[in-house]
Amino acid sequence: MNKKIGITSLLLILFLLTVFLSLIAGGNEIKAGDVFSSLLNPDTDSVVSTIVWKIRVPRIILGILVGIGLSISGCVLQAILRNPLADPYTLGISGGAALGATFAIVTGIAGLSMVSLPLFAFTGTLASMLLVYYIASRYNFSVYTLILAGVIIGFLFSSLVLLIIALSDTNKMHSTILWLMGDLSSPARGLIRIVAFFVFSGLLMLLYFGRELNILTLGDEKAQHLGVNAEFIKKIVFIAASFITGACVSVSGTIGFAGLIVPHIMRWFFGYENRMLILMSALGGAIFLPMCDTLARTVIYPVELPVGVVTGIFGGTFFLVLLLKSDKTRIF
Amino acid sequence: MAILDIQSLTCGYDGKDIVRDVTFQARQGSFLGIIGPNGAGKTTMFRAITGILKPKSGNIFFRDKDISAFSRYEVAKHVSTMPQLLDTPFSFTVFEFVLMGRFPHLRRWEKPKKHDIDIIEESLAITDTRELKDRRINEISGGEKQRVILAQALAQEPELLLLDEPIAHLDIGHQVHILDLIKKLNREKNLTVVMILHDLNMAGEYCDELILMNEGTIYKSGAPYEVLTYENIEKVYKTIVVVKENPISKKPHVVLVSNKS
């Protein structure tokens, strides 16, 4: 128990450190001192203040929110699918979002307003979610049907994305691919509030059903014998995780790996109890994504890397080390 | 008094009746064995008893109350099950795993109290798994895991324990260990046990009463010596056997006869 408190404290320090570094890191030759004075005096009209308040702070907040959202979605989907390899995109959400976003970019609708692309992406996630829900419901929401439906719908939508990309011109192709790799920059304020709403209400809902999630990892049959309505819990969790993921992806693009790796690292430290694990995955996600994003925009400055590339390389390497250093039984 | 009273139960899946017009009772404190070939409807009947599967017709009474009037939680407070195998993709500790047996007794945000912890400790002690409690469920052996699964079922404080081939994949040492344990619980705690078994000799050895099922109906029920006759077994299993007597327990002992002999 003391060990867990110790690690939690370390993670909280790491979180503050990440936010701090993320605020001062970057180009524009801004001094750390200036960043803080503008943070303390939000009303000043200087260039530094504008950069901090209009660019960096929203970006960090979005990074934290999306990090939390993807990590907790991954965590609970791994539980209901009883599969440690599940992630927020296993159930086709990313395919739907990508199709909506690609359509908006290629048709030029994306350029009309700040919210048109996210709106189309979110519509796409709703479409894929409804399709997967409909297919899985026909088979009592069994784990295999759910995964199969998710993978099929995901593939179908991704193929349509590729079709549209193949038919579009180079410029639009480039924008689409960059969107697909994830981008946390310059989100509109209103969008951040919407993402925050989905992420935090989803977080509360998933915590509420945390103890059922523990039982559900024993399989439907045993869960039902212990008094859990397995099908109902799977439906609720699927819907909650889909809305959280959909909201995140619509604003930030399909950032990979965070939702897979963060719950694993947290299981390593905190065990398998899902209430604890959901909370700690939230904390882990709030560190992991802003950290990757800070790296993405500083490592080969002035060129900015897509954050999805950094989460993949950074997360993948970390995971690989963990896998190679661990004893075999503990990793999952 | 019958703790479990099944009246002309018919149930199945997608309109196909797997169990047809089955009637039997289990008395408080009895040790009932259910035998029969694969596909005879044994497991399906269990699923109806726990309320997972709705009966197409007929009734299941638990202590004179229709089981369909119980919520899932209420059923789980009185009836627990032990499967043949339980796949655990996430490696909870043995203690956490057994604690899950308290699920139907605890409210959503309620922390396990001393009473719950005592029951868990007792379940671990009875099943001889106390020293495993900090180990991870996927790090222990198959025999140990099966005892831990039994401990979880006992932590539910069941009045009726349903076992679905609890020893199917264990070696004979662990088979006898588990069944001795269940017999002891049955004798000392007056726990009612209904157990599906494939091993006819084990069934004859441990159960007070046997029900032989065939094609969804009860073919024969009664004391082991009444059910385990070569006529009944050859008819139902379509296999030639000789029934002898176990020299120690005097219970029937089924000997297989292969085509070569």
Side-chain angles (χ1 to χ4, degrees):
Chain A
M1 203 60 212
N2 282 332
K3 192 182 146 211
K4 286 179 183 173
I5 292 170
I7 295 169
T8 311
S9 320
L10 276 179
L11 287 174
L12 285 170
I13 294 168
L14 195 59
F15 172 68
L16 293 175
L17 198 69
T18 306
V19 172
F20 172 76
L21 283 176
S22 196
L23 275 171
I24 59 167
N28 309 85
E29 305 298 327
I30 301 173
K31 291 193 194 75
D34 295 341
V35 171
F36 287 107
S37 59
S38 62
L39 269 180
L40 295 172
N41 310 296
D43 299 327
T44 41
D45 213 15
S46 66
V47 180
V48 177
S49 179
T50 310
I51 289 174
V52 169
W53 284 101
K54 291 271 155 67
I55 297 175
R56 289 193 187 165
V57 169
R59 186 165 182 160
I60 292 167
I61 291 175
L62 185 65
I64 291 169
L65 289 172
V66 173
I68 293 174
L70 294 179
S71 301
I72 59 175
S73 299
C75 177
V76 299
L77 288 174
Q78 285 166 4
I80 64 163
L81 299 175
R82 308 182 70 215
N83 190 333
L85 291 177
D87 80 353
Y89 308 145
T90 304
L91 298 182
I93 295 300
S94 54
L99 185 60
T102 308
F103 182 79
I105 293 169
V106 170
T107 53
I109 295 170
L112 296 179
S113 118
M114 291 281 276
V115 295
S116 49
L117 193 154
L119 200 64
F120 269 75
F122 196 70
T123 310
T125 66
L126 286 180
S128 61
M129 183 179 137
L130 282 174
L131 278 169
V132 172
Y133 186 93
Y134 173 72
I135 297 168
S137 304
R138 295 187 53 155
Y139 298 89
N140 305 322
F141 246 69
S142 86
V143 167
Y144 291 114
T145 332
L146 200 49
I147 293 179
L148 200 60
V151 170
I152 291 170
I153 296 300
F155 258 114
L156 190 65
F157 280 31
S158 307
S159 306
L160 291 174
V161 168
L162 292 178
L163 177 71
I164 296 174
I165 290 177
L167 297 175
S168 60
D169 65 58
T170 327
N171 246 340
K172 282 173 175 160
M173 191 188 278
H174 191 69
S175 326
T176 312
I177 289 172
L178 277 180
W179 184 88
L180 289 176
M181 289 190 288
D183 182 8
L184 293 166
S185 66
S186 56
R189 284 272 156 114
L191 288 179
I192 290 184
R193 286 202 193 102
I194 293 171
V195 175
F197 168 76
F198 277 110
V199 167
F200 286 116
S201 51
L203 176 63
L204 290 178
M205 194 162 197
L206 295 174
L207 282 174
Y208 184 80
F209 289 111
R211 71 177 203 141
E212 277 88 351
L213 285 173
N214 292 333
I215 307 292
L216 214 55
T217 63
L218 304 178
D220 288 11
E221 187 95 11
K222 190 69 200 179
Q224 284 172 308
H225 287 157
L226 281 164
V228 172
N229 185 344
E231 192 177 334
F232 172 74
I233 300 295
K234 280 189 282 185
K235 282 180 176 170
I236 283 281
V237 169
F238 168 71
I239 292 169
S242 298
F243 270 110
I244 297 170
T245 308
C248 291
V249 168
S250 300
V251 178
S252 67
T254 47
I255 298 170
F257 231 72
L260 174 67
I261 190 180
V262 173
H264 273 292
I265 297 171
M266 294 302 141
R267 256 183 221 114
W268 181 260
F269 293 129
F270 296 98
Y272 296 78
E273 201 286 307
N274 276 287
R275 284 178 188 167
M276 168 76 105
L277 200 57
I278 291 166
L279 271 181
M280 288 305 151
S281 295
L283 180 56
I287 298 167
F288 181 73
L289 200 55
M291 193 188 269
C292 288
D293 189 47
T294 310
L295 276 177
R297 61 195 173 80
T298 51
V299 75
I300 49 163
Y301 182 81
V303 180
E304 194 171 292
L305 289 174
V307 62
V309 173
V310 180
T311 56
I313 296 171
F314 193 48
T317 313
F318 190 78
F319 204 24
L320 205 58
V321 171
L322 209 64
L323 202 61
L324 292 173
K325 285 191 79 174
S326 74
D327 60 295
K328 292 189 185 87
T329 45
R330 286 268 173 123
I331 189 68
F332 291 136
Chain B
M1 173 190 149
I3 185 168
L4 180 68
D5 182 2
I6 296 181
Q7 295 290 342
S8 24
L9 172 72
T10 298
C11 60
Y13 312 98
D14 297 327
K16 189 164 177 276
D17 299 339
I18 308 290
V19 173
R20 288 174 289 129
D21 198 25
V22 163
T23 298
F24 74 90
Q25 288 81 35
R27 280 173 295 102
Q28 169 77 50
S30 61
F31 197 128
L32 187 66
I34 298 178
I35 53 176
N38 294 327
K42 306 183 295 294
T43 301
T44 306
M45 187 172 72
F46 265 22
R47 304 188 74 205
I49 296 173
T50 53
I52 291 182
L53 190 65
K54 295 272 163 283
K56 191 173 155 193
S57 63
N59 295 87
I60 299 165
F61 297 98
F62 180 82
R63 293 201 183 289
D64 297 330
K65 198 178 160 193
D66 199 308
I67 204 100
S68 60
F70 287 76
S71 72
R72 274 170 221 272
Y73 289 92
E74 288 173 65
V75 174
K77 280 181 188 174
H78 302 289
V79 183
S80 66
T81 60
M82 178 172 169
Q84 181 188 143
L85 277 173
L86 191 64
D87 176 33
T88 47
F90 296 101
S91 213
F92 288 94
T93 65
V94 166
F95 183 83
E96 287 171 327
F97 184 84
V98 176
L99 176 63
M100 289 185 199
R102 297 304 297 160
F103 177 85
H105 296 275
L106 290 168
R107 284 192 301 275
R108 186 169 300 281
W109 301 106
E110 194 179 8
K111 280 212 176 257
K113 290 187 287 291
K114 186 173 178 301
H115 171 68
D116 301 291
I117 303 295
D118 287 347
I119 289 167
I120 292 164
E121 291 290 346
E122 196 195 337
S123 307
L124 289 168
I126 295 170
T127 54
D128 198 14
T129 50
R130 231 176 172 157
E131 70 284 3
L132 299 174
K133 76 176 184 185
D134 296 320
R135 299 272 299 280
R136 302 223 163 249
I137 190 90
N138 292 343
E139 287 173 357
I140 60 179
S141 76
E144 289 169 334
K145 184 171 173 182
Q146 207 60 359
R147 294 211 304 277
V148 170
I149 291 170
L150 179 61
Q152 187 193 57
L154 295 178
Q156 271 174 265
E157 292 182 288
E159 293 156 69
L160 172 64
L161 181 60
L162 301 176
L163 303 125
D164 192 348
E165 294 179 44
I167 56 167
H169 66 291
L170 301 178
D171 65 52
I172 51 167
H174 283 107
Q175 289 192 357
V176 170
H177 189 164
I178 290 269
L179 291 184
D180 280 346
L181 206 64
I182 293 164
K183 189 78 191 173
K184 196 174 148 205
L185 287 162
N186 170 249
R187 286 268 163 77
E188 292 176 6
K189 306 230 160 195
N190 204 27
L191 176 67
T192 312
V193 176
V194 181
M195 174 165 67
I196 296 172
L197 266 192
H198 266 313
D199 188 320
L200 300 177
N201 293 323
M202 287 289 199
E205 197 66 31
Y206 285 93
C207 302
D208 307 327
E209 195 189 335
L210 291 179
I211 291 176
L212 174 59
M213 286 185 74
N214 189 32
E215 293 170 357
T217 59
I218 294 180
Y219 183 80
K220 176 82 185 163
S221 67
Y225 74 89
E226 295 172 298
V227 177
L228 295 176
T229 63
Y230 80 92
E231 295 99 325
N232 289 340
I233 296 169
E234 288 183 0
K235 186 84 201 300
V236 170
Y237 288 89
K238 298 177 179 63
T239 304
I240 298 167
V241 295
V242 174
V243 178
K244 302 278 227 185
E245 189 185 79
N246 181 321
I248 311 292
S249 66
K250 309 295 177 201
K251 294 275 176 67
H253 186 86
V254 180
V255 181
L256 297 174
V257 181
S258 76
N259 271 337
K260 281 186 206 155
S261 15

